[in-house]
Amino acid sequence: MGLLKVSASPHIRHEDTTRVLMSDVILAMIPLLIWGAYVFGLRVLTITAVSIVSCVVFEALFNLILKKKIPVGDLSAVVSGMLLAFNLPATIPLWIPVIGAFFAMVVVKGLFGGLGKNFMNPVLAARAFLFGSWPSHMTTYSAPLERLSAFGKIDAVSSATTLTELKNGALPSEDIFDLFIGNMAGCIGEVSAMLILAGGIYLLVRKVITWQIPVAFIATVALLTFAFAPDGVSNLSFMMAELFSGGVMLGAVFMATDYVTSPVTAKGRLIYGIGCGALTVFIRFFGGYPEGVSFAILIMNLFVWYLDRATKPRKFGGIRNAKA
Amino acid sequence: MSLTFKGGLHPEENKITAKSPIEVMPEPATVAIAMSQHIGAPCIPTVKKGDYVYKGQTVGEGQGGLTCPVHSSISGTVIGIEDRVGAFGQKVTHVVIENDFKSELLPEIKPNSKSLEESTFDEIVEIIKSAGIAGLGGATFPTHFKVASAKGKGEKLIINCCECEPYITANHRLMLEKPEDIINGVKVVMKALDLKACHIAIEDNKKDAIKVMQEKVGNENGIDIKVLKTKYPQGDERQLIYAIDKIEIPTGKLPADVGRIVLNAETSAAIWRAFHDGIPLVDRVMTVTGDCVAQPKNLIVPLGTSISDIISYCGGYTGEIEKIISGGPMMGMAQWDETAPVIKGTASILCFGKKNKTQPSENCIHCGKCVGSCPMHLMPLYLASFAKQGDWESCREFDVLSCVECGCCTYQCPGNVPIVQYIRTAKGKLRK
């Protein structure tokens, strides 16, 4: 008999590889895509397809040029592509997601060393870049249920989002239930709080994410908007409108929970979530933009290493507060 | 509500042999008795080539306190004193004995004439020592040393029947088939150390064993059953003591320092056999299992039996063998070949086929699953990353030396990063 395979323990592995986890995220986002296509038309699918293909191709090309292993198999580029599309309005010209994909996959992710090495969420960094470069394209929203065709000319009337109304201290004209199910203007994947929450529950059950970040994020936004609702507006309605408008739900469930750019400890995740929520409200109330979610998360991304370090668990058997 | 600890995980149990009664494996034609089957000084052979040895006769003894004699598990002739690769992958001196198949017990071995009540601490420790008993859960710490060092400090005995590693069912079967031996062993240790309390700790996936042990313990003074949540590594004595008493053993200290003495179930049974019948440790219960062995079994195997003899007794392989592991799948040692003999710590032999092929390692994605599952509450991802960069001081600062190498982090890692390997490297560097 020949020599056997010798390797270090442990000799068994959990079946959830990166690829499986990413597949779960993709699965959790599919309802959002379908809902987006229902509310804004088939153009949503075109944008998403362009975005996914661009992300995958840019990542593959980048690694090809650098003679590195092409990591398409881990599906993380597909997740990035979907999320990038979800952060765009349905009226967006199709070249924008291509540029966004380049910025996300090459500048933010690839140049910093690829999967696991980037310090900022690539999708949000790309969104911020696009937002700064082509603000009007990024904020031209079509009205809900005025469906755009897959490739046709865009002739829909541009519609204000509920965030603009909230920014002016008034409640939006839509009723809260419409906001909750996602019958409103906004970015492709962010409108339906209901489906995002359902996706979040799926990810929690599958243990892809933990509860700390989404709960802390959403609770902080809820608390602050309830406490500081403008005069003459019902605190509860204002809070709900703030929660269900814009990117809070998508940000809290799918963006802030990005592994690479969020803390690894339970305590760190709580603080991170609270920070994201507080900054979101701060920007919405006092900033120049109606929306603050992406910037809030990007700012908190910068604190991840610090939070990990500061919330290092006390080792088992270690004396409290003592350095080993 | 079952008792538990923070961290850890629950791998697929795969306890396929849970319902297989323990079989006595026939003695093999030759055995190779390793001179180092325990933690501490290795033994030096006390027999030479050509000597006749009885079953139960001492064939090797060590110097100093932290050591443990070894005995012949068969009767026959010493045909060689050889250096061979042992179960831990290192060269160890072995006494090779050819079986005469008479199974002649050493004439001096006879049942103890003294009752437990009359026995003293020193007598009991001496019995445990000369019987060569070491921790049979796998750690193989010399038991006489553990008992002796707990004198005056020990308050409570804990019998570890967790068997938290997947696949292994040796303790489970022992509890079902020989519960009295375990409980009598408990009484011996309690008498020696004058202990008033003992917990028998069983994970909640072994309901039948909990029931049997509960019945047998009955209203025995001071002994009770503690039911623990099924979670790996519950059988680590630190986590076990924490789960039961909520006491953390401070870093660098031993269970005795917090008044606890933890013994494996089979160790306890071996203590009883040594005390009552005078029989030294010459065989042990083990599980032979995996997807590549024809008839998975629980066996009583003479120490020194080679893996190949055991596997042929279990019907050989089914399919192409990829890996043989001595011990559990989480912490066991992969073997070079099938020649290594069974030692005192061999709780199982696992035979894995091709489908257990190791996947290539990818990038760490910072998911934090390793942090959540670390029973020592470390941050394995950073330890691995510092070790990768050769930053040993940061490893120390992040408590790399507290790692028990249970493998939870690596088991969980979606990127299949060999975290424990990096940690072992760092520990090795820092200990130099």
Side-chain angles (χ1 to χ4, degrees), chain B residues 80-287:
Chain B
I81 311 266
E82 296 170 15
D83 281 352
R84 292 187 181 182
V85 177
F88 293 116
Q90 285 152 335
K91 280 256 162 107
V92 176
T93 307
H94 286 75
V95 171
V96 186
I97 304 161
E98 189 178 49
N99 201 342
D100 65 359
F101 292 102
K102 289 183 184 144
S103 222
E104 268 193 79
L105 208 57
L106 186 71
E108 287 89 340
I109 294 177
K110 37 178 138 4
N112 197 344
S113 51
K114 246 184 172 180
S115 74
L116 182 56
E117 285 68 38
E118 296 162 5
S119 303
T120 64
F121 168 80
D122 291 332
E123 283 165 353
I124 293 171
V125 169
E126 186 49 39
I127 289 173
I128 296 174
K129 184 174 184 181
S130 54
I133 298 171
L136 296 174
T140 62
F141 191 82
T143 305
H144 68 88
F145 197 87
K146 196 185 249 183
V147 173
S149 61
K151 190 177 164 68
K153 291 203 267 182
E155 296 155 20
K156 236 192 227 183
L157 176 63
I158 297 173
I159 299 298
N160 187 349
C161 313
C162 295
E163 209 158 50
C164 58
E165 281 255 21
Y167 290 96
I168 310 179
T169 56
N171 282 351
H172 185 182
R173 292 310 307 181
L174 191 74
M175 283 189 280
L176 291 176
E177 297 176 38
K178 294 180 179 173
E180 292 89 356
D181 284 10
I182 301 174
I183 295 164
N184 287 327
V186 165
K187 289 182 195 159
V188 174
V189 179
M190 287 174 80
K191 168 72 176 76
L193 290 170
D194 195 22
L195 303 175
K196 298 283 170 272
C198 168
H199 303 307
I200 296 178
I202 312 174
E203 282 188 345
D204 58 11
N205 60 349
K206 298 181 255 296
K207 301 262 188 266
D208 48 354
I210 294 171
K211 195 162 159 263
V212 169
M213 294 302 283
Q214 213 123 41
E215 276 164 19
K216 295 291 171 190
V217 167
N219 296 322
E220 207 73 64
N221 247 349
I223 308 179
D224 64 359
I225 311 288
K226 292 281 182 197
V227 178
L228 299 140
K229 191 172 159 191
T230 304
K231 192 163 76 171
Y232 177 86
Q234 183 61 78
D236 178 340
E237 57 191 13
R238 295 172 203 79
Q239 307 305 336
L240 187 56
I241 292 170
Y242 181 80
I244 292 174
D245 288 321
K246 300 289 171 280
I247 299 173
E248 284 183 29
I249 303 176
T251 307
K253 301 282 186 188
L254 294 169
D257 297 315
V258 294
R260 300 293 178 275
I261 166 163
V262 182
L263 293 176
N264 169 265
E266 196 180 350
T267 310
S268 180
I271 290 172
W272 173 246
R273 281 214 298 169
F275 177 84
H276 187 255
D277 305 321
I279 299 186
L281 187 64
V282 291
D283 53 26
R284 67 155 299 146
V285 183
M286 66 160 66
T287 304

Side-chain angles (χ1 to χ4, degrees), chain B residues 354-406:
Chain B
K354 292 279 180 212
K355 79 171 167 102
N356 294 71
K357 245 194 167 80
T358 325
Q359 297 301 313
S361 155
E362 295 167 28
N363 282 0
C364 166
I365 54 168
H366 200 258
C367 65
K369 284 180 188 285
C370 55
V371 178
S373 64
C374 180
M376 298 307 286
H377 311 168
L378 309 177
M379 298 177 100
L381 78 163
Y382 286 124
L383 297 175
S385 137
F386 295 141
K388 209 171 175 175
Q389 299 160 30
D391 183 356
W392 314 122
E393 278 317 305
S394 293
C395 285
R396 188 200 299 279
E397 197 192 324
F398 276 67
D399 304 312
V400 75
L401 294 171
S402 284
C403 171
V404 295
E405 300 176 23
C406 66

